[in-house]
Structure formats: structure tokens, C-alpha cells
Amino acid sequence: MSKNLSVGSVTPQRAHFASPLLLKSGASLPAFDLVYETYGELNAARSNAVLVCHALSGSHHVAGVYGDDPKTLGWWDNLVGPGKPLDTNKFFVVGVNNLGGCHGSTGPLSTNPLTGRRYGADFPLVTVEDWVTAQARLADLLGIDAWAAVIGGSLGGMQALAWSIQFPERIRHALVIASAPKLSAQNIAFNEVARQAILSDPDFHAGHYAERGVVPVSGLRLARMIGHITYLSDDQMGEKFGRQLRHGERRFNYDVEFEVESYLRYQGDKFAGFFDANTYLMMTRALDYFDPAYDFDGSLDAALARARANFFVASFSTDWRFSPARSREIVEALLHNRRRVAYAEIDCAAGHDSFLLDDPHYHALLRAYLENIEA
Amino acid sequence: MNPIPSYSADAEARFDYAVIAEWIPPGERVLDLGCGDGTLLRYLRETKNVSGYGVEIDAQRVLGCIRNGVDVIQIDIERGLLGFEDDSFDHVIISQALQAMHGTEHILEEMLRVGREVVVSFPNFAFRANRAAINAGHMPVSENLPYEWYETPNVRFFTLVDFEELCAKMGIEIRERLAFDDQGEPVAEDPNLNGSLVFYRLGRAR
């Protein structure tokens, strides 16, 4: 069996939810849509469903391609497919664009049914917990009483963790990768700089840029450039770019001189071309707010007392954004609660973004854990 | 680290696992330090219905644990058992791994902190055949000490008598001791000479 078999051409689906969703902030959405994709077949017992949660820039398009365009490859295609570690011959895999996203689910770019205008900045702040609540509505619709597993990296891992707390009976395994039980002050600080880049862009128009037909491109670019620095390790950046000069000589100006600048500008431009600024603000805020211990006097032990899932927690040695120490906080709270948990600290040079790569040991661990899950 | 090279071998064939299992009542909570690929824990789970975790630092062995369905925590025991709470296990086991650790005293203290009772097994460097090897001018290589001196993971070389002196110094109570020769047969006479592999059940002095 080839390891490189793809799920092939895929088509997103849309689900409409007509009853209101009460949000953690106290606001509510009268109705909402979620776009999602599925890969593999739901078995008769409906026991083989796996939810893949996306992080900041991901979407419901986890695996496969649209049409036959290789440029549209899903963001976690190296993990999900027939014969791959998250094997679609065994599992029914679901990817969903989170509420407030900009890939088709109801979000700031959608039309507010109460005003007939785009939500823009009026879209309510949604949290990780709200995403999970919305995902649970989708599970209801698909006839999934309990996920065999919920898996995610970074912000996606936070959703897996939140699932285990919010719906302990509806998740059998939580795979929490390169994640944290809450952001550190440094993490929040990076998010704040990224937000300020957007908020101070003259094209932001207090969040109602879409109505004016403009995009706060420079703010989005800058936000992504800052983010991207934190996703890579110092070593990897050094290895990839070093101090390599773009033109082979110094030109004594502020254009792209060093290769790393070119890379960051490219990443920024690419991101600003497809991502919505309000979604970016909201998602970074959702990250900031995430802290299951907050409602339990700061005790993660108490927050996880409700969890019933078995856990796989993994971190990456060079990830300084969500360091191994942050994953160990989750592990320690699970040990306190006597939950079943396996924890791996993976040696990988690529920093936070390691979770998206196909490091052989990392994928072997995921394959082994997922193979042992009864579908 | 578990220096036994055949750590993936069938657990049924491992007499030392059976010895340890004899000391573990059914349904206990167990922590296995330097658990290798988790074979012992899996054996204890299948024969004694224990729950608990393994601790291992080596990446390939961690993968082995996951394949074995064993809950492994990849941390460095030399730094202590941070995150494991006092008295949270019935037994803490270190099976043929103590000799590969630097911080012997610290590890023993940590084991006695998190566990009600501790099980230790290690190769006895004063075993007859090992003494003979030294007398013949060579570091011993045997089934229980399977490495050449230049590749051994072992860093602490001690005998049954040495270990008991350390226990006395640390106020650790020896509750039971078993010694076996290199055929896996129990040894009664002069275990420091005739014992190749020794097992201890330890507790905090009452």
C-alpha cells in the first residue's frame, strides 16, 4: 500500500443551522453556516469519525485537491488519506471551517441577516469553546454521537482539549499537538502586535473595509510576517536563509536585501491575498482568551476533572511559541486526574510549524496511536 | 533506558517480568521508569490488570510504547519525576535501568516520593562470572551485562552489597530481596557472589 495515496478530488459541503447559537461572550448568532469536508466512510456503528481542527490560517480543506489542481492541496494532506497516518480507509475524517472564519463558514464577511449588510466588525467575538459548540452541532447533523478522536495542532489542539472538557462523553481520544493550556504573556504580546498592525492600517475602517471595497493589506501582511517569525525556529531560519543577500551584493537601501526579508514579504503577500482581517483579529483573540482553568480558579487540574477521553499529547523540541513545557502542563493535569495519556517530545528543527510537516518519527507516532484506536 | 537488547522479545520469555509481576497485586497503579518499549507494562496490564504509565527518554522506545498501547511519558528521569504527585502509585518500578542513570540517590528518593513501594532490579556486578572476567583482565560481558565497555549505556557499576549499603544510608527499608543466577534460577547462598540479577522491594522506613 502506497503511503502517498491521496483522497483525490474533494468537494466542500455546507450545513445551515437555523437555531440560535449562544456565545461565551453573551452575544448570540441567530443562525449560521459551517462549511466542511469529509474523507472516508462513516461506518454503520458511526464509531469511526475523526474531527480535524484547524489552527489560525487553516480551514475545512484538510486533504485532497479541488478539481485536479495540485496548488489546492489540503493543509494536512500529508497526514490524512488512504494508507496515511490518519487513514481514511479506517476513519471517517471531518474538517470544518470554524465559525467566524473566512473560508465559507459564517463570519465577518457574511451578510448579517438583521441588517442585510456584511457583519464586518459587528461579527461577535467567538471563542474556542464556541467553535467546539458549533462543531458539536455539525456532529449532530452528521449523526456522530461521539468522535473516535479529535485532533489538532496549535489552536487546533486547544479545540481538542476543549472538546474533552465540554463534551466528555462525545470524544474518545484527544490528540493535542504543539499546543498549550493557555497563552503566555509573550504569546499574547505577539498577537497584540499583529492586531495593532491591522487596526492601525488606514484601510481597516474600523472593521468595515469590505463595504468600502478595500482590504487592509499592509496590516495583514505585517501581522502574518510577525506570526511567521514565531512559527519558525532560529536555527531553521538560519539554515534556510542565513544572511544570504538577494542580489549577491549590498545595495544600501530598504528594499529586499536579505533572503529572509524576501521570504517574509512573500508569506505576508500570500496571506493578505486570501485571509480576512476581522477573522485574523478574532482568531488571535480566541487564542488569547483560551484558558480552561479560568473558570476553575486557575486550576487546570479542576478544569480537566470532567475529561473522560484518552490523550495523546506531543510537542516539538524547537517550538518556542508553544514550547514543550506548555504541553507538559497539560500532561501533568491529566496525570493528576489519572487520565490515560501518552506524551512525546519530538526532536524536530522546524519550530512551531513542525506539526504541519511529515517528520518520519512524528508521523510514525501518530500512525501508531491512531492504529490502536478502535474504530 | 532498558539495556536489555532484546527488549521487544516476547514478554512470556522474560523470567524477570514474572518475578516483578509476583510482587504486583492485581489492579494496582504502577509507574515504570525507563520502560523501554513498554513490554513490561503491557505484560502487567494483561496479567495483572494494572493501570499506569511508563517513562522513557529514547524516541524509538517511546514509539514502541505507543505501538504497544502503553501510556508513556517522554521525560528525562534524571531531572526527577516532576508532574507526578506524592503517593500517586502503588508501585514504582525500575527494571534494569538504575545502573544507566547518573542520579541514583535522587531517582530513588523520587520513586519513594511518588510510590507507596518501589521495585528495583539490576545486574549484580559482583556476580561470580563478572569477577572471573575481571580476574581474566576484561570487563564482564554476559546476558545481564550485554554490552562492551565502549558502548554500554551503564554508568553506575555496583553490587548487591553496595546497593544495600546505599539503602541503609538513605534510610530505605528493604522489604524483600530475590537473587537469580545467569540461568534464571533462584539463589540462596551468598547472593552477592552467586546472584547475576537481583530484585528488591523497597519502602520508606516506618
Side-chain angles (χ1 to χ4, degrees), chain A residues 182-194:
Chain A
K182 60 176 185 276
L183 293 196
S184 66
Q186 189 193 47
N187 290 154
I188 295 170
F190 279 119
N191 282 347
E192 172 58 5
V193 176

Side-chain angles (χ1 to χ4, degrees), chain B residues 68-180:
Chain B
N68 272 324
V70 164
D71 292 335
V72 62
I73 311 294
Q74 188 176 11
I75 56 169
D76 183 2
I77 303 165
E78 298 276 11
R79 293 188 201 160
L81 297 174
L82 207 71
F84 291 98
E85 295 173 349
D86 294 1
D87 285 313
S88 51
F89 294 93
D90 298 308
H91 275 101
V92 183
I93 302 168
I94 189 160
S95 164
Q96 301 192 54
L98 190 63
Q99 77 278 4
M101 309 281 172
H102 284 95
T104 315
E105 287 175 272
H106 184 222
I107 288 158
L108 287 169
E109 281 165 6
E110 281 288 87
M111 291 176 80
L112 287 162
R113 175 180 69 79
V114 305
R116 199 170 46 73
E117 197 167 82
V118 163
V119 171
V120 176
S121 71
F122 60 86
N124 174 27
F125 283 79
F127 174 55
R128 184 190 303 278
N130 298 338
R131 297 187 196 194
I134 298 272
N135 276 336
H138 290 286
M139 287 300 284
V141 177
S142 67
E143 191 179 342
N144 287 326
L145 289 170
Y147 295 99
E148 293 289 349
W149 62 273
Y150 49 81
E151 58 174 15
T152 180
N154 297 331
V155 295
R156 296 281 181 254
F157 305 91
F158 53 100
T159 69
L160 179 152
V161 169
D162 291 331
F163 183 71
E164 292 185 7
E165 281 181 10
L166 179 64
C167 288
K169 183 195 139 199
M170 292 179 67
I172 295 172
E173 178 186 74
I174 296 173
R175 295 181 179 164
E176 198 171 345
R177 179 189 71 203
L178 295 170
F180 296 84

Side-chain angles (χ1 to χ4, degrees), chain A residues 336 339-340 343 345 372, chain B residues 53 66 69 71-72 74 85:
Chain A
H336 171 86
R339 298 313 318 155
R340 289 200 58 179
Y343 169 65
E345 192 174 313
N372 280 336
Chain B
Y53 310 93
I66 307 268
D71 292 335
V72 62
Q74 188 176 11
E85 295 173 349

Side-chain angles (χ1 to χ4, degrees), chain A residues 320-358:
Chain A
W320 56 279
R321 178 101 191 213
F322 289 166
S323 71
R326 313 309 312 286
S327 283
R328 285 199 299 268
E329 290 173 31
I330 298 171
V331 172
E332 287 171 16
L334 293 169
L335 290 176
H336 171 86
N337 284 296
R338 305 193 168 189
R339 298 313 318 155
R340 289 200 58 179
V341 52
Y343 169 65
E345 192 174 313
I346 299 157
D347 218 4
C348 186
H352 186 56
D353 268 354
S354 298
F355 84 87
L356 292 167
L357 306 182
D358 59 355

